[in-house]
Amino acid sequence: MPLRVRAWTLVAGLISIFLLVMLLLYAPPDGQERAEFAQFLGRFHPLIVHIPIALLLLVPILECAGIIRGHLRQAAGFVLALAATAAITAALFGWLLAWSGGFEGSLVIRHMWGGVSLAAACVACWGLYGWNRRAYAAALVMTIGLLIWTSDQGGKLTHGRTFLTERMPQPLRRWFGVERKVTIDPTSFYAVRVQPIFDQKCVLCHNDEKFKGKLRLDSYEHVMLGGKDGRVVSPGELGKSEMYRRITLPPDSKDFMPAEGKPSLSPEETKIIEVWITAGATIRIPEEATRGLPQSTEEKRVALPLTADYRPQWKTITALEASTGIRIVPRSQNPTDGLILRTVTAPERCTDATLAQLAPVGNLIVDAELA
């Protein structure tokens, strides 16, 4: 390519990058939806974005193949120019999508800056191509790394933050230190009986800021993840659970936990850990496994259901609403919290005869809002 054409092409690329930076600085996405035509154009971003990815990944392949066949290395420059053009276009359409489509948030901003940075890196690689091989090679490696990071941010936007890791095998989780997000029922055996023990006796040395042996015990996910030496809990296998071994050692043993003179677990607390591990170390364990354990204060406070579950009667409830004109609505999202009878919208219909029709669901009604 003639030097003058190459120079003007490089200048055009740099101007494009400058304009993209200005757009991100002075017109960032703010959660507001704008013109439909802008949204229409922006929605081509998920299609366009794959083009620079494919082209950019092709460049190092051509470079390596060019060691044997020199003409392939020459093709790498042309492919790199296409990749830079496609990256600039994808970044522009990405900004258009975020700015007009009502997007906002730190993840969106990171992905956008990643896209613009990637476009700039492609332009830089193209500028170095054929001029300084070492600098070009280093820039290309960094550009591929930036491509991977930016693609990861985009994947999190599209599929969620845990899409890549939610099915990751446990050995890989331990290797990369990835925790599995688990929803903990606050009334479960683990939440009521097990985690409080860790909080009182273990978390001081095994938390998110101070985790001895790379072990955290401040959440179920981290407990099951283990530490630098692997698992500390082997579900259903008490003899293979390092945690249980350590809390049952003689207090003067160097491996005894909790260490450093901190209060040790009481016999009751040790028994709770034993029962939990033996039963499978799950969040909820079979009720028969807990027999013989004294009730905790939290368990005694668990409220009994107000009524039976109303959901099996929902067709009957709907039919009664239609025939009587009276509203019967759930008291809360908990199906055992009962129903509310509302007559405010039709007080004239609330007669003794009407109320008698509600007898089939009368045991489910716990409150009334009368006119």
Side-chain angles (χ1 to χ4, degrees):
M1 180 182 293
L3 183 60
R4 177 174 294 183
V5 175
R6 185 180 180 85
W8 278 110
T9 305
L10 184 60
V11 169
L14 293 175
I15 292 174
S16 299
I17 299 300
F18 175 78
L19 292 176
L20 286 172
V21 171
M22 291 299 102
L23 287 174
L24 264 64
L25 289 176
Y26 295 102
D30 54 8
Q32 301 294 322
E33 290 195 10
R34 293 179 172 84
E36 287 192 1
F37 186 68
Q39 294 186 44
F40 167 72
L41 292 178
R43 293 188 179 192
F44 281 94
H45 171 71
L47 173 64
I48 298 172
V49 75
H50 293 89
I51 299 174
I53 294 174
L55 291 172
L56 193 54
L57 291 177
L58 182 59
V59 173
I61 296 175
L62 291 173
E63 289 287 353
C64 293
I67 298 174
I68 301 174
R69 298 182 180 274
H71 65 281
L72 293 178
R73 177 170 286 176
Q74 295 177 356
F78 176 71
V79 173
L80 187 56
L82 292 178
T85 304
I88 292 171
T89 306
L92 176 61
F93 276 75
W95 168 82
L96 196 59
L97 175 63
W99 175 76
S100 65
F103 293 91
E104 62 180 337
S106 59
L107 185 56
V108 175
I109 297 298
R110 284 202 304 272
H111 179 56
M112 292 176 66
W113 277 111
V116 173
S117 300
L118 181 62
C122 288
V123 172
C125 284
W126 190 81
L128 292 170
Y129 176 81
W131 177 62
N132 188 317
R133 293 295 299 177
R134 287 189 177 181
Y136 162 70
L140 184 59
V141 170
M142 289 188 288
T143 301
I144 297 297
L146 183 58
L147 170 66
I148 294 172
W149 182 83
T150 305
S151 299
D152 177 62
Q153 301 302 301
K156 289 176 180 177
L157 277 174
T158 305
H159 303 290
R161 294 176 182 270
T162 62
F163 180 76
L164 187 62
T165 59
E166 64 182 350
R167 303 299 180 191
M168 182 180 286
Q170 190 63 26
L172 287 179
R173 288 181 176 277
R174 289 197 297 271
W175 180 266
F176 289 104
V178 176
E179 62 186 76
R180 183 188 295 274
K181 289 294 181 182
V182 179
T183 301
I184 303 294
D185 183 345
T187 65
S188 65
F189 183 84
Y190 178 84
V192 173
R193 306 302 297 271
V194 180
Q195 187 60 53
I197 297 174
F198 296 150
D199 291 342
Q200 294 171 16
K201 303 293 177 70
C202 310
V203 166
L204 185 63
C205 295
H206 299 282
N207 55 67
D208 60 341
E209 295 182 350
K210 178 184 179 183
F211 39 101
K212 289 187 175 181
K214 295 186 178 180
L215 173 66
R216 287 176 56 181
L217 298 176
D218 52 345
S219 71
Y220 178 80
E221 300 95 316
H222 288 107
V223 172
M224 302 309 294
L225 186 62
K228 68 177 182 180
D229 295 323
R231 284 186 174 185
V232 295
V233 172
S234 295
E237 298 180 295
L238 200 62
K240 295 182 179 180
S241 296
E242 181 67 10
M243 174 185 289
Y244 185 75
R245 184 186 77 83
R246 292 200 175 211
I247 64 175
T248 54
L249 286 171
D252 58 352
S253 172
K254 67 175 183 178
D255 290 335
F256 176 75
M257 291 293 170
E260 301 175 0
K262 295 180 176 62
S264 59
L265 275 66
S266 67
E268 179 183 328
E269 290 171 331
T270 303
K271 183 65 177 178
I272 290 171
I273 300 298
E274 176 187 331
V275 167
W276 175 62
I277 295 175
T278 303
T282 52
I283 295 172
R284 288 190 175 278
I285 64 174
E287 186 176 347
E288 56 268 20
T290 66
R291 289 174 185 167
L293 290 178
Q295 271 193 321
S296 69
T297 304
E298 289 80 2
E299 286 177 317
K300 293 176 182 177
R301 291 175 182 169
V302 174
L304 295 174
L306 294 177
T307 68
D309 191 334
Y310 65 76
R311 289 175 295 185
Q313 298 284 346
W314 192 247
K315 286 186 177 180
T316 302
I317 294 168
T318 304
L320 287 172
E321 284 187 317
S323 62
T324 63
I326 295 176
R327 294 281 292 145
I328 306 172
V329 298
R331 185 168 175 265
S332 73
Q333 293 183 348
N334 187 344
T336 61
D337 277 353
L339 303 170
I340 299 176
L341 177 68
R342 287 182 176 169
T343 66
V344 176
T345 56
E348 70 282 354
R349 299 179 184 176
C350 187
T351 63
D352 290 342
T354 302
L355 293 176
Q357 295 180 49
L358 303 180
V361 295
N363 62 322
L364 301 176
I365 297 174
V366 297
D367 200 357
E369 295 177 359
L370 305 176

